[in-house]
Amino acid sequence: MSPDLPLVVPSVTAELVGALPPRLRKRLDAGVAKLAARPAVRDGDTVRVAVDDETDVVLHAPGGTVTSADAIRCGCLLAPDCLHRAAAASAAPIADDTPDGATDADQAQPATDSTDTTTAPDVATAGDSNSDTGTTAGDSNSDTGTTAGGANSDTGTDTATPEQRTAAHAVHAAAAAVLDAGTDGAGAVLQAELLRAAHAARLAGLPRASAAAVSVVTRVHAARAAAAGHRLAELAGALAGVLGVAHRVPRATGPDLAELRGTVRQPYRPDGSLRLYGLFSEPVLTATGYAGAVTWTADADGRLYTVSDVAPGGPARATGAADRAVRIGDTALTHRQLSRAGLAVSGATVSPTGRLGTGAAVRAVRASGAAWRAEPLDRLWAVPVGDQVARALDGGQDLLFLEVTLTGTLRETAGDCLLADCAGVPVRLATAHDDPALPYRDNLRLLAAARGSRLRIVARLVPGPFPRALLLAAEHPVDPAARVDLGLDWLQHADLPTGTVPAPLVAAAGEEAPLHLLRRRVHQAVAGGRRVLAFSRSGPGDGTRLRRAGLATAADLLDGLHGAAADRSRDAFGRLLPADTDRFARAWLAAALYTDAAERALCADAWGATAAAAPSPGSGRGPGLVPRR
C-alpha cells in the first residue's frame, strides 16, 4: 500500500484486476511492487506516477478518492487494457465505499483496533457512518410489509434473500482463498477477488460483511508491506470476523440476521445538551493508513463520549492532530486542551458507540474541566476492577480506570512491560504502540524508574491468561493534580520522584494453560497459509499437552485443523486435486473462535471478574464506548 496514492474504492480495484488477461494477472504483484516504489506527484485532485521515462499513470481523485475505473489512465501503448492501471489501484489505500449523498459531516471515520492502534476501539465501526435515518439493511418496510432483505410479513420470518446468500457465499469463498494462501501468497489477484465479493455484498444489502472483507484486504496490504503497525493477531481476528459473518448469514433469521446484515450508515441520535469533562487524548496510527487523534470525555453520570479527528496519513498526522481544533461547533479548543478542559454541547448527536456528531446544528463552547480525583470523574475509578473487566468482556467499552502501584519491569518476548499491583492483582502494562514517532515506549521506560509510585491510570484491556492492559494515560508521577497522555506527552527525568532507581527486571512466567499451542497454529495459518500447517504437524505432543491441561476441545480442534490442512484427494490417475479450502476455513474458524472464547474466560478469571458470554468474531457484539448502566 502506497500512502502517496489517493484512496480507491474497492469496486474500482476489482473491476481493473478482473479485466486483466491471465498472463497479466501473473505479473500483477511484480507490477504493484514496481509502481509502489515510484514517486507520486500530486497536483490538486490529480496524482501522477512515472512508471518509466516515457509512461505515466494518472489518477483523478476528486475529494481525494478515485471512484471509477475511467479515473485511472495510463500512457502506455497497451492502455486501457494494460497492467499499470490495475497495479496502481492495487497499490493504493482502500477507500470506504460510502454511498453517494453522504455529507462531509456524516462521513464515517475509519475503523480502528484496540491493539493495532493507539486509538479507542470503535471510533467508528468498520463500514458504519453517521446517518439521519438510522435504518439497517434489514429494517422492515412499512409500506410493503417486507424487510429490505426480503422478509415475508405474512409468516413473520426474516431470512436472507437469494442475492444475499449468494453474496455471503462469495465473500466466504474469497476469504477462504486468502486464508488458504496466507498473507505471503495472497497477492493482488486474491485481494481483488475479496474486494469484488465485498462490493457485491454491499449491493446485496450486507454492509457488515462488505466492511469486514475490506478490513481484511487492508490488513493483508499492511502485512505484505511489513508496515510498522501490522499485527498478526489483528489480521487473524479480521479473517475470523469476515468468515464468521459470511458463514452465518445464509442460516440466520430474525433479529440475528438484521444484526449480521449491519447498517450502511451509523445512526446518530439527538442527545440534547451535554456537559462533558475531558479525560485524555490518544493518537491514532493504524496499519491501514489512517492517523489522527481521539479525545475521550465523560459526563456527570460517567458515560463516555469521544471526539475524533482521523484521516489518511502517517505518524506526522498522528502527532500533529492533538494540536488541531476539535471539529465540534465553533470551539477553538484543541484535542490536547480538551483532554484537560471541558465542553458544553447543545443540539448534540451521538452514535451508538459514543462518538459525538459534528453536524451544522451542533453548538459547543469551552467549559471548565475536572481533575481525575474530583467529581464527576472520580466515580470512574470507583467501579470495582472486576466489574470493569466483566463489562469489557461482555462487549462494553474496554477502557479500564485503575489505581496501581508500580512494582517493577517484566521481560516478555514482545518486549519489556511495567508490572503494577492493582488491588492485589499483578497487572502487566504494555505500550499501546511501538512506533518511535510516538512517546509511548520512552514514557514507559521512564515510569519504570518510579517504582513504588501510586498512580491512577487509564488502560485498555488485552484479553489473555494474565491481567494485561495497554497503558494510555496516567497521573503525573510527582503531581497528582496533573495527568499525562502517554501517546502525546513526553515525560522527562525531572518529572520523576527524586531518588528513583531503575525497577528490577524479572522474566515472565510461562502460561499456566497451554492455549498458546492452538493460538500459534491459528496465527501460522494466517501468515503462511494451509501449506504451513500441512507440513508442520508436530505429532501428538501438542495435543497431549493440551489434554493434560484439561483442554481436550482445544486438542481436538488442533487435530482437526492439521487434518483439514493435510487432506488432499487424488484423481484416478494419482494427481492431486485442488484443496478443499472451505473445509480448512471451517476448521480454522472453529479453532479461532474457541481460542478467543477461552482467552476471555482465562482473562476473567485472572482479573477476578465474573465471566460473561464472550462476543466472538461475527457475533456482532463488539466494544462500545458507553458503559451499560
Side-chain angles (χ1 to χ4, degrees), residues 168-388:
H169 285 309
V171 169
H172 190 280
V178 169
L179 175 64
D180 185 80
T183 55
D184 295 338
V189 173
L190 285 181
Q191 294 173 35
E193 289 300 320
L194 187 51
L195 290 178
R196 182 189 304 279
H199 182 62
R202 180 177 287 273
L203 295 179
L206 298 176
R208 184 176 166 195
S210 174
V214 171
S215 177
V216 169
V217 176
T218 57
R219 283 170 170 79
V220 171
H221 267 182
R224 291 176 62 86
H230 164 64
R231 298 293 183 272
L232 183 59
E234 290 151 15
L235 176 54
L239 266 171
V242 69
L243 287 171
V245 170
H247 174 76
R248 294 175 58 202
V249 163
R251 303 164 179 81
T253 59
D256 188 36
L257 177 60
E259 184 180 47
L260 291 170
R261 283 174 176 149
T263 56
V264 176
R265 304 179 62 77
Q266 190 180 74
Y268 273 54
R269 70 179 189 280
D271 208 6
S273 298
L274 296 174
R275 176 65 170 89
L276 304 177
Y277 301 84
L279 274 169
F280 72 100
S281 291
E282 56 175 334
V284 177
L285 184 57
T286 76
T288 53
Y290 290 91
V294 174
T295 298
W296 291 77
T297 64
D299 66 8
D301 295 325
R303 293 169 58 89
L304 301 183
Y305 300 83
T306 60
V307 181
S308 60
D309 178 8
V310 182
R317 193 180 196 284
T319 56
D323 294 315
R324 282 193 285 270
V326 298
R327 296 184 299 175
I328 294 184
D330 298 324
T331 177
L333 278 173
T334 66
H335 284 268
R336 194 187 303 272
Q337 292 169 337
L338 177 57
S339 67
R340 272 85 171 171
L343 204 64
V345 185
S346 63
T349 57
V350 184
S351 77
T353 57
R355 187 158 59 97
L356 291 172
T358 58
V362 179
R363 297 289 182 268
V365 296
R366 179 171 184 163
S368 60
W372 280 3
R373 293 184 179 270
E375 288 293 339
L377 299 184
D378 181 70
R379 66 183 60 190
L380 295 172
W381 279 266
V383 179
V385 175
D387 292 348
Q388 294 187 50

Side-chain angles (χ1 to χ4, degrees), residues 20 23 29 31 35 50 53 65 69 126 157 179 212 236 270 292 301 310 371 380 481 521 523 560 575 579 603 612:
L20 291 177
R23 64 180 181 83
D29 288 335
L35 190 140
D53 294 339
T65 303
T157 61
L179 175 64
D301 295 325
V310 182
L380 295 172
R521 297 305 184 191
H523 290 174
R575 295 173 297 191
C603 179

Side-chain angles (χ1 to χ4, degrees), residues 271-589:
D271 208 6
S273 298
L274 296 174
R275 176 65 170 89
L276 304 177
Y277 301 84
L279 274 169
F280 72 100
S281 291
E282 56 175 334
V284 177
L285 184 57
T286 76
T288 53
Y290 290 91
V294 174
T295 298
W296 291 77
T297 64
D299 66 8
D301 295 325
R303 293 169 58 89
L304 301 183
Y305 300 83
T306 60
V307 181
S308 60
D309 178 8
V310 182
R317 193 180 196 284
T319 56
D323 294 315
R324 282 193 285 270
V326 298
R327 296 184 299 175
I328 294 184
D330 298 324
T331 177
L333 278 173
T334 66
H335 284 268
R336 194 187 303 272
Q337 292 169 337
L338 177 57
S339 67
R340 272 85 171 171
L343 204 64
V345 185
S346 63
T349 57
V350 184
S351 77
T353 57
R355 187 158 59 97
L356 291 172
T358 58
V362 179
R363 297 289 182 268
V365 296
R366 179 171 184 163
S368 60
W372 280 3
R373 293 184 179 270
E375 288 293 339
L377 299 184
D378 181 70
R379 66 183 60 190
L380 295 172
W381 279 266
V383 179
V385 175
D387 292 348
Q388 294 187 50
V389 173
R391 178 186 62 205
L393 295 178
D394 193 33
Q397 59 90 5
D398 60 355
L399 290 186
L400 302 180
F401 300 89
L402 310 177
E403 190 155 356
V404 302
T405 300
L406 305 182
T407 59
T409 306
L410 192 67
R411 171 157 292 168
E412 297 181 321
T413 55
D416 297 345
C417 64
L418 277 178
L419 190 62
D421 178 84
C422 179
V425 177
V427 180
R428 306 178 184 198
L429 300 174
T431 57
H433 205 292
D434 291 329
D435 194 288
L438 303 178
Y440 279 118
R441 186 159 296 282
D442 290 341
N443 286 337
L444 185 140
R445 288 170 180 162
L446 280 174
L447 285 176
R451 183 189 180 194
S453 297
R454 186 165 183 82
L455 306 172
R456 282 190 172 183
I457 66 170
V458 182
R460 178 165 292 122
L461 177 68
V462 178
F466 293 102
R468 183 180 180 85
L470 304 178
L471 189 56
L472 302 174
E475 288 180 330
H476 194 281
V478 296
D479 183 7
R483 60 191 93 156
V484 180
D485 296 336
L486 295 172
L488 298 171
D489 303 326
W490 295 83
L491 283 171
Q492 306 295 327
H493 285 283
D495 297 318
L496 302 179
T498 58
T500 56
V501 296
L505 183 65
V506 297
E511 295 184 2
E512 295 180 1
L515 190 63
H516 64 281
L517 299 176
L518 179 59
R519 182 175 60 245
R520 179 178 60 192
R521 297 305 184 191
V522 168
H523 290 174
Q524 280 182 342
V526 174
R530 176 187 53 79
R531 292 175 180 82
V532 170
L533 295 190
F535 295 106
S536 64
R537 190 164 187 170
S538 58
D542 288 351
T544 299
R545 186 176 174 188
L546 287 168
R547 289 185 175 90
R548 286 176 179 172
L551 299 174
T553 301
D556 292 341
L557 290 171
L558 180 61
D559 292 341
L561 184 59
H562 279 295
D567 183 22
R568 293 292 300 275
S569 302
R570 295 180 181 270
D571 62 15
F573 299 99
R575 295 173 297 191
L576 283 174
L577 296 174
D580 188 348
T581 58
D582 185 66
R583 179 193 170 191
F584 178 67
R586 291 197 308 271
W588 180 88
L589 180 60

